[in-house]
Amino acid sequence: MTLACGLALVLAGCSDDELSSQSIITVDQMEYTEFDYWLQRNYVVPYNIQFKYRYEDIESDMNYYTVPSRYDDAVKLAHLVKYMCIEAYDEVGGIDFTRAYFPKLIFTIGEWEYQNNGTYILGTAEGGRKILLSGTNYLGQHLHSANELNEYYLKTIHHEFTHILNQTKDFPADFQLITGTGYVADKWSESPYDTDYLERGFISAYSQHSDKEDFAEMLSIYVCYSPETWDAWMEEAGTDGARLLGAKLDIVKNYMASTFSIDLESLRSSIQRRQKQVVGGLIDLESLDN
C-alpha cells in the first residue's frame, strides 16, 4: 500500500493597499491509510501514544541527513514496538504503568543519524515524552536474527525508555561510584576503550560514555539478550569485571522494583518469550485488521 498525502501550496498576491487575513499557504488534509486507523486503535486509544511515521522536519534533528520511513517498514516497526516493548511492560507492570510512563510520541525516520566519529545514532529520548527511532528502512534485513533486532532496534527502545524512567525519578548515586573513574564521554568508541570493556565492568563500549548511559545499557541489554549470552559475557569479564557488573545489576533491579514495581526478571522472561516468537515468524507484523 502506498502512502497518500496531498500537499498544496497556494500563493496569493496582494496589492500594496490590500491586506489579506488568510494564510498564503494552505495544506490539504492528508488521506488516512489503513495503518493510520490501526495506530488509532492500537496506540492512541489504549495508551494515548502517537506513532509518527510520516516525515516531519520539526520532529527531526536538522544536524543530520534524514529520510522518511518506508510505509511497509513502519508498519512492521509499529508492531514490534507494541508487541516487544509496550505489551511486555503491560504484562509485568500493568497497563496503568505503561500508560503513565511510556512516551507519548514515537517518531521514526528511515536512515540512521551518522556522526563524524564513525558511529551512528539508533535512537534518542527527549524530555520524557518522545522517542526517536532511526534506521526503520533497514528493519527487513534484521527480522530473522534476535541479536540483530536487539542491536539495532529493541535494545534502543528499552534503552531510551530507561532514560525516560530516570527522568521521572533518578537512579541511586551509588551506581556511578562502582566504576566512577571509568567514564570517558565521547572517547568510548576510540582505542583502547572500544575493547576489553567487560573486564573494566562495563556491559558495552557505549556504557563508558557516562553513568546515565551505563545505567540504560545495563537494563536494556539485560532484558533483551538471552541468559546464556549474559552468562558468557560474565565469564569473559573475569572475576573483577563480573563483580562490578553484578553490583550494577543489583542496583538496576532494586531501582525498578522499588520505584516502579517492575520485576526485572519477569520483564526479561516476557521479552525473551516474545522475541523468540517474532524471530520464529509466529507473529504477524503486517496485519492491520486488529
Side-chain angles (χ1 to χ4, degrees):
M1 178 177 297
T2 58
L3 170 64
C5 181
L7 176 63
L9 300 181
V10 181
L11 302 181
C14 297
S15 64
D16 292 342
D17 58 352
E18 178 187 4
L19 295 177
S20 171
S21 61
Q22 297 182 346
S23 170
I24 63 171
I25 299 178
T26 62
V27 180
D28 289 345
Q29 184 177 4
M30 65 183 178
E31 179 180 336
Y32 282 87
T33 67
E34 291 181 41
F35 186 27
D36 291 308
Y37 292 113
W38 184 90
L39 290 171
Q40 179 73 18
R41 295 190 302 270
N42 289 274
Y43 275 80
V44 178
V45 172
Y47 303 104
N48 193 28
I49 294 173
Q50 284 185 288
F51 187 99
K52 289 188 176 184
Y53 66 99
R54 291 182 174 88
Y55 189 81
E56 296 183 20
D57 57 2
I58 194 172
E59 300 290 0
S60 304
D61 189 333
M62 300 300 182
N63 293 314
Y64 300 96
Y65 173 77
T66 57
V67 300
S69 297
R70 285 195 294 260
Y71 182 92
D72 291 342
D73 290 322
V75 169
K76 293 173 185 176
L77 184 60
H79 278 282
L80 275 180
V81 173
K82 176 176 178 284
Y83 187 69
M84 294 289 299
C85 303
I86 294 175
E87 291 181 347
Y89 276 103
D90 284 352
E91 179 182 331
V92 176
I95 195 169
D96 289 340
F97 166 86
T98 314
R99 286 170 172 165
Y101 296 108
F102 210 83
K104 299 308 178 187
L105 174 60
I106 300 170
F107 178 62
T108 71
I109 55 177
E111 187 55 86
W112 312 114
E113 292 185 335
Y114 293 94
Q115 299 186 291
N116 293 331
N117 61 1
T119 64
Y120 50 92
I121 296 173
L122 302 175
T124 59
E126 297 180 14
R129 60 170 294 274
K130 171 186 172 182
I131 286 181
L132 164 70
L133 297 176
S134 63
T136 304
N137 295 348
Y138 298 101
L139 179 60
Q141 303 175 22
H142 307 295
L143 278 176
H144 301 295
S145 168
N147 285 340
E148 290 177 21
L149 277 178
N150 286 333
E151 180 65 23
Y152 296 112
Y153 302 100
L154 300 177
K155 181 176 76 69
T156 299
I157 298 165
H158 290 286
H159 178 110
E160 298 305 331
F161 184 40
T162 302
H163 281 318
I164 287 173
L165 293 178
N166 294 160
Q167 290 165 10
T168 302
K169 181 165 179 149
D170 203 1
F171 54 84
D174 290 350
F175 183 89
Q176 181 182 4
L177 301 178
I178 296 173
T179 51
T181 60
Y183 298 113
V184 295
D186 290 337
K187 293 181 179 180
W188 65 270
S189 62
E190 304 173 4
S191 179
Y193 307 111
D194 57 345
T195 60
D196 300 326
Y197 45 81
L198 289 169
E199 297 175 11
R200 297 191 292 273
F202 294 96
I203 197 58
S204 69
Y206 187 52
S207 294
Q208 300 166 108
H209 181 281
S210 62
D211 61 314
K212 290 180 173 57
E213 301 303 338
D214 193 6
F215 191 96
E217 285 286 274
M218 284 294 299
L219 191 153
S220 58
I221 290 175
Y222 186 74
V223 299
C224 283
Y225 288 88
S226 69
E228 294 76 17
T229 300
W230 184 271
D231 291 343
W233 284 334
M234 294 307 100
E235 184 174 350
E236 183 181 347
T239 302
D240 289 340
R243 176 182 56 81
L244 295 171
L245 288 163
K248 290 180 180 180
L249 183 59
D250 285 343
I251 293 178
V252 172
K253 287 182 176 181
N254 290 334
Y255 166 85
M256 291 299 290
S258 61
T259 307
F260 300 106
S261 299
I262 296 292
D263 179 78
L264 208 63
E265 293 300 330
S266 298
L267 180 63
R268 186 193 206 189
S269 296
S270 176
I271 292 170
Q272 292 296 307
R273 183 184 73 250
R274 293 165 183 270
Q275 183 183 93
K276 290 177 182 177
Q277 292 171 332
V278 168
V279 173
L282 301 178
I283 304 300
D284 190 343
L285 301 178
E286 299 178 359
S287 174
L288 299 174
D289 294 334
N290 61 313

